[in-house]
Amino acid sequence: MQQYSTRTPTSTSRAVRLESFGGPEVLDVHEVPPPRAGAGQIRVRVTAAGLNPMDWFMTSDAETAARFGLSLPAGFGTDYAGVVDQIGDGTTGFTTGDRVYGGALSRAVADFVIVEAAGTIAVGGDAHHTPDGIDDRTAATLSIAGCTAAAALAVVDPGPGDTVLIGGAAGGVGVFAVQLARLAGARVIGTGSATSSDFLRSLGAEPVAYGDGLADRVRGLAPGGVTAAIDLHGTETAQAARELGVVDARITTIAAQIDGITPANGANAAPGALEEIARLVATKELRVPIAAHFPVEQIRAAVELQAGRHVHGKVVIDL
């Protein structure tokens, strides 16, 4: 399977570090001692790290960082893929050379990441075996966006006969949510900019422009009505769905709280949801568009692109 670097550091390794909280301008690549796997842990030689909005959101200021348990100096990025190259005492389920992917909260953009074999993304990190048929760049995009999309779909439970309105459908979570809803048999209408129309159609969604008048435009596309809605950006789509008569129980958000509406959180995705998404990717039933990939030395440019919120698909860092 494709690898993206032949660098094999021994006495030092690279990691993106923040000495202060802020925007992309505070991100730097540092030489650091390679970490070592302890009991119950594995060390992963990271080959690719996928970016998500949460990465730069939670490191944007000290107050937000504290809510996620982060302090300085801090790492950056959560989604990763790579190869197990060291196993700690008592660790089971992995062997050296295994290809793995997963999440390690705000420390994934590094040559090495230490992961608890029985951990979670937020506590100790987690690791899953990468199926054959998935390259490392793609595997590095699955955890956060895939789990978040799966959790959102679990709230609204789309199926044949449903028409689902998805706001922010061209973004990193949207590419999963649209395709999962379509695989469940639902019709999907996705909000986006004028430049995202062709991209949304390629995912299986019918595009509609966001902004004032959204509900009226959706009525024009779906005179028979909308039955469920997923808002992946803020509250506009959720409010439009209410205006269109969708009941609160079939509306969810991921980036805002609205009284009466159940929010979706990737941490609450059903057991096995991520593995099922990986299976769908491996069998080419679900595709993950990689909008751009950057060497780790260009971390600032990569984050600026991803944070602009106009990229279609995922942004990945190569290590």
Side-chain angles (χ1 to χ4, degrees), residues 87-178:
I87 296 178
D89 291 342
T91 304
T92 60
F94 299 93
T95 60
T96 301
D98 284 351
R99 295 180 61 241
V100 294
Y101 70 99
L105 190 69
S106 203
R107 53 194 180 88
V109 187
D111 280 327
F112 295 104
V113 65
I114 299 295
V115 176
E116 299 284 343
T120 65
I121 290 176
V123 182
D126 72 349
H128 308 265
H129 292 281
T130 305
D132 291 340
I134 301 182
D135 65 80
D136 287 358
R137 281 188 188 132
T138 301
T141 70
L142 300 181
S143 288
I144 295 298
C147 286
T148 302
L153 263 75
V155 174
V156 304
D157 192 24
D162 277 316
T163 297
V164 183
L165 177 64
I166 299 181
V173 177
V175 299
F176 290 92
V178 167

Side-chain angles (χ1 to χ4, degrees), residues 66-301:
R67 285 166 42 201
F68 290 91
L70 303 180
S71 59
L72 295 172
F76 188 78
T78 298
D79 282 354
Y80 75 86
V83 179
V84 176
D85 85 328
Q86 191 179 89
I87 296 178
D89 291 342
T91 304
T92 60
F94 299 93
T95 60
T96 301
D98 284 351
R99 295 180 61 241
V100 294
Y101 70 99
L105 190 69
S106 203
R107 53 194 180 88
V109 187
D111 280 327
F112 295 104
V113 65
I114 299 295
V115 176
E116 299 284 343
T120 65
I121 290 176
V123 182
D126 72 349
H128 308 265
H129 292 281
T130 305
D132 291 340
I134 301 182
D135 65 80
D136 287 358
R137 281 188 188 132
T138 301
T141 70
L142 300 181
S143 288
I144 295 298
C147 286
T148 302
L153 263 75
V155 174
V156 304
D157 192 24
D162 277 316
T163 297
V164 183
L165 177 64
I166 299 181
V173 177
V175 299
F176 290 92
V178 167
Q179 293 178 87
L180 290 172
R182 293 287 290 132
L183 286 168
R187 176 188 180 189
V188 175
I189 297 173
T191 78
S193 65
T195 59
S196 67
S197 293
D198 288 344
F199 179 72
L200 289 173
R201 289 190 187 96
S202 76
L203 297 174
E206 299 168 51
V208 64
Y210 56 71
D212 292 343
L214 174 59
D216 289 336
R217 290 190 292 279
V218 174
R219 280 194 191 96
L221 277 175
V226 170
T227 55
I230 299 172
D231 196 323
L232 302 175
H233 186 71
T235 63
E236 178 187 77
T237 299
Q239 300 294 359
R242 278 178 161 175
E243 188 178 339
L244 291 164
V246 182
V247 298
D248 281 359
R250 300 208 71 198
I251 303 173
T252 190
T253 60
I254 69 165
Q257 299 276 346
I258 301 175
D259 287 345
I261 290 176
T262 301
N265 186 324
N268 299 325
L274 182 57
E275 286 83 357
E276 173 61 10
I277 287 173
R279 184 193 69 79
L280 291 169
V281 174
T283 58
K284 304 190 184 325
E285 296 171 79
L286 189 156
R287 67 185 183 89
V288 185
I290 306 296
H293 55 91
F294 295 77
V296 67
E297 292 80 9
Q298 295 179 23
I299 181 66
R300 293 183 182 183

Side-chain angles (χ1 to χ4, degrees), residues 24-47:
E25 72 282 352
V26 304
L27 300 174
D28 288 302
V29 180
H30 291 261
E31 293 285 335
V32 298
R36 296 194 62 81
Q41 298 177 330
I42 59 173
R43 184 174 77 177
V44 179
R45 172 65 177 93
V46 178
T47 56

Side-chain angles (χ1 to χ4, degrees), residues 53-73:
M54 64 173 286
D55 297 328
W56 45 263
F57 171 75
M58 65 185 176
T59 56
S60 59
D61 59 71
E63 181 179 354
T64 304
R67 285 166 42 201
F68 290 91
L70 303 180
S71 59
L72 295 172

